[in-house]
Amino acid sequence: MRFRIALLLLFSLSLIACKDEDDTANGYTATPLELEIPPLFAEKILPPVIPEDNPQSVEGVALGRKLFFDKRLSADNTLACAGCHRPANAFTDPRQFSVGIDGLAGTRNSMPLFNMAWNYGGLFFWDGRATSLENQALAPVVDPIEMHNTWSNVAQTLQVDGEYPGMFEDAFGTQTIDSVLVTKAIAQFLRTLISGNSKFDRYLAGTENLTPSELNGLNVFLDENRGDCFHCHGNPNNPLWTDNIFHNNGLDETFTDRGRGEVTGDPREFGLFKTPSLRNLAFSAPYMHDGRFETLDEVIDHYSEGLVYSETIDPLMKKVSEGGVHLTPEDKADLKAFLLSLSDESFINNPDFQNPN
Amino acid sequence: MRKIALMFAASLLMIGCNNDDDTTQPIPESTVDFTFTHNWDGNMIDNTDFDLLQYFNANGEQMSISKLVYLISDVTFVSLSTGEIFDAGDYNLIDVRQGTNLSFTPDIEIPEGEYLVSFTFGFDDEDNQDGIYQDLNSADGGWNVPMMLGGGYHYMRLEGKFIDNTTTEMNYAYHAIRANNASTTPITLQDTSFVVDLGQITIGSSTSIEIKMNVAEWFKNPNQWDLNVLNTVLMPNFDAQIMMYENGSTWSNSTGVFSKGTVTQ
C-alpha cells in the first residue's frame, strides 16, 4: 500500500518531469479533446499540428466557438468573426471584400477556414504574415477596417459578462480574461473545423463512384499536358488539396498588392500568394486573394488562356505567351466537375460548427 | 523491498526522460552525418542564387533556378573488413532554396572502420510505392507522382526560367521520376533511380560526409540538354526520363552530378 503510493507519486513526478512547460494556471487541466481526424487523413498525411501550450479541450473549444460567433469582439458590437467567415460559405465571405464595422472594405477576399491544423508550415493569411492560429486571431479584433476594437476593451466586455468568466475558468483554470486566452480558445475552435467528407473522399474510400466527367476532370487536373494543377494543389494522396506555399499564378502584369513579398521584403516574392485549398469551392466564391473571379468557369479560363507574364510568375505556369494551354471545352467542363466533387456538404452543415449564441 | 520498487520506478523515470542513447557498447558504433551542398560548375548555390538568370547551360541557354528539391534514399555502408552491409533504409528530401534537410543522419549505427559508401538518387522500385510515406505525401503539396504516370514519388523537382532561341523568357520543369510510357497497356515502367558510389570512407566516432551536386551536370553529359525542346511536360516523356537518368548517373574524369566532398572526422 505504502509503495503503491510511492510509485504513483513517482509516476506523476515523471509526467511532470517530462513535460516541457506548465501551461495552465494552478496546474488546472480541462477535459482533453481529440480532433476528429478523417480516416483518409490519418492514413495519408502527417498528424495535425497542435501547439504544446494550447492543447485541445472540450471547454476550450466550446468557449472558442462562442467567441467566434460573438459580435461583442468588435468595438460597436455589430461584427463577429463569423460575419466575414460564414459557415454556409465554408467560413469565408461571399462578398468580394468584407466590410468592417466602420463601413470600410478591405482589399483582400476573406479566406475559407478548414483543415488549418494541417498547415504544417503554420503560415496564415494570403501572405503568410501570421505564424500561428493563435497569433492570427489577434489581428482582426484590432484591425481598423475589421472589428476596430482594443484588446483591453474586449477583455473588459467579456469580464463583466454573466457567462464568460466561468467558461474561461473551465477552459483555462482562471477567470482573468486577456487576449492570450481569447485567441487560444478561438484557435482551439478553428482546429476542429475539419473537412474530409466530400464525394471525392468517399470515392477514395470506395463507397461512392465518380461520373465519367469527374474522372476525366481528375485526369485533366493531373495531366502535365493539360491542367497540371497537382504540383501546387495536391493529389489524391494529399487530402489537403493545397501545398500551403506561395506562388504567382499569373494573374497580373504589375502588382497593386505585393502579397508574400510585402511581408518578406524579397522582390523575388512580389505578387506571390498562398495556394488555397480546392475543397469546398462550391461554397466559397468569389475566388483568388482579391476575389476577382465570381465563378469557377472564370478561374478555369484564367489557367487555360488568361495567364499573363510578370517576373515572379511560377515556372509551372505553361505557355504564358499564349495565355495558357488552351483546354478544350469538354476538358474545362470535366475539370470543373472534378473540382466540385471536392466540396463537402457535411462540413458546412455540421451542427458543431454553427452559432451557439 | 520498498527500496527496490522505488529504485525501479526511479530508473523508469530516468529512462522515460532520456533522449539519447548513452548505454555502453562492447564495440564502438556510430551514426554518420551527411551534408548536402550544391553548385553550378563550382559556384556554390544558396538561397540568394535562386531566381537569377545567371547560369549558362552546356547548350548555351541563359537560365535560372527557382526550385530544387530532391530525394535520396538507402544510404548503404559495406564493411571492407567483414563484407557486412548496413542500410538504414530511410530517405531524405532536400529543399535547397528553403535550406531544409541539408544535413541528414541515417537512423543506423555502424561499427567504426573502413566502408564503401553509397546512396540512391530517388527511390528504387522496391521503395517507390504509391502513397505509403506520410511525410512525403505531406511535403510540397504532395511529393507524389500521379497514378496515370505509374504512381510512386518524384525523385527531383528542378524548376526555373531560361531565355529561348527567340530571346523569349520561358519556363522549365525538369522533374525526374520513374520513366513511364502510358501509351502501352499495361503502362511501361523503368526504374530510373540510380546508385551513387562515394567510394571508400573511414567511419569514426563523428564522421561527416559532404555530398555535392553540380546542377550544371544535369544538362551536360552524355546528353547535352536542349531546353528549347525539352522544357516542360517531361514527366510523361519516357525518353526524357532516360536522358535525365543518364546525365545523373554518368561519372567520368571525376565529374558528374554527384560527387564526394569533404569528409571530416
Side-chain angles (χ1 to χ4, degrees), chain A residues 1 5 128 169 180 183 186 194 247 249-250 259 275 286 296-297 319 349:
Chain A
M1 177 62 196
I5 295 175
E169 169 94 62
V180 174
T183 52
I186 291 178
I194 296 171
H247 303 273
N249 64 345
T275 312
L296 279 182
D297 301 293
K319 300 203 176 159
N349 294 317

Side-chain angles (χ1 to χ4, degrees), chain B residues 182-246:
Chain B
S183 70
T184 64
T185 314
I187 187 172
T188 307
L189 296 174
Q190 184 175 325
D191 186 346
T192 36
S193 69
F194 53 86
V195 172
V196 178
D197 271 314
L198 298 173
Q200 184 177 342
I201 299 177
T202 309
I203 303 298
S205 60
S206 59
T207 305
S208 176
I209 302 167
E210 179 195 9
I211 295 172
K212 295 179 171 178
M213 180 198 276
N214 180 354
V215 180
E217 289 284 343
W218 285 111
F219 300 91
K220 205 182 276 184
N221 182 33
N223 305 297
Q224 182 170 311
W225 199 273
D226 186 350
L227 281 174
N228 296 293
V229 182
L230 296 171
N231 43 62
T232 54
V233 203
L234 302 180
M235 290 174 69
N237 184 334
F238 191 94
D239 296 338
Q241 292 303 328
I242 299 294
M243 287 167 71
M244 291 180 198
Y245 161 80
E246 290 171 347

Side-chain angles (χ1 to χ4, degrees), chain B residues 7-38:
Chain B
M7 277 185 64
F8 180 68
S11 61
L12 263 182
L13 184 148
M14 300 192 71
I15 291 169
C17 295
N18 206 343
N19 286 323
D20 49 352
D21 192 355
D22 50 14
T23 48
T24 50
Q25 297 283 346
I27 320 151
E29 294 199 341
S30 307
T31 56
V32 183
D33 299 330
F34 290 84
T35 57
F36 298 85
T37 64
H38 309 86

Side-chain angles (χ1 to χ4, degrees), chain A residues 32-47:
Chain A
L33 179 68
E34 294 278 320
L35 287 181
E36 283 178 35
I37 301 177
L40 186 68
F41 289 45
E43 181 195 333
K44 292 293 188 187
I45 54 173
L46 295 174

Side-chain angles (χ1 to χ4, degrees), chain B residues 127-138:
Chain B
D127 291 329
N128 200 13
Q129 297 186 35
D130 194 62
I132 65 170
Y133 306 101
Q134 288 186 327
D135 51 352
L136 296 180
N137 298 344
S138 310

Side-chain angles (χ1 to χ4, degrees), chain B residues 159-202:
Chain B
E159 297 167 9
K161 315 254 174 83
F162 69 100
I163 307 296
D164 75 2
N165 48 19
T166 65
T167 67
T168 310
E169 187 182 297
M170 293 277 289
N171 53 312
Y172 71 89
Y174 191 107
H175 288 193
I177 63 171
R178 168 169 49 196
N180 64 90
N181 180 355
S183 70
T184 64
T185 314
I187 187 172
T188 307
L189 296 174
Q190 184 175 325
D191 186 346
T192 36
S193 69
F194 53 86
V195 172
V196 178
D197 271 314
L198 298 173
Q200 184 177 342
I201 299 177
T202 309

Side-chain angles (χ1 to χ4, degrees), chain A residues 2-3 7 10 18 42-46 224-225 231 234-235 237-238 243 245 268 309 311 313 315 317-318, chain B residues 2 6 9 17 47 50 66 130-131 134 137-138 140-141 144 154 160-161 169 171 175 232-236:
Chain A
R2 276 257 261 350
F3 49 85
L7 271 174
L10 264 167
C18 291
E43 181 195 333
K44 292 293 188 187
I45 54 173
L46 295 174
E224 278 205 308
N225 257 316
H231 279 114
N235 66 79
N237 280 310
N238 184 325
D243 57 5
I245 48 189
R268 298 175 301 173
Y309 174 83
E311 214 177 314
I313 191 171
M317 296 290 113
K318 284 197 276 289
Chain B
R2 214 162 72 206
L6 274 171
C17 295
N47 178 285
F50 283 78
S66 53
D130 194 62
Q134 288 186 327
N137 298 344
S138 310
D140 224 357
N144 314 81
H154 284 76
K161 315 254 174 83
E169 187 182 297
N171 53 312
H175 288 193
T232 54
V233 203
L234 302 180
M235 290 174 69

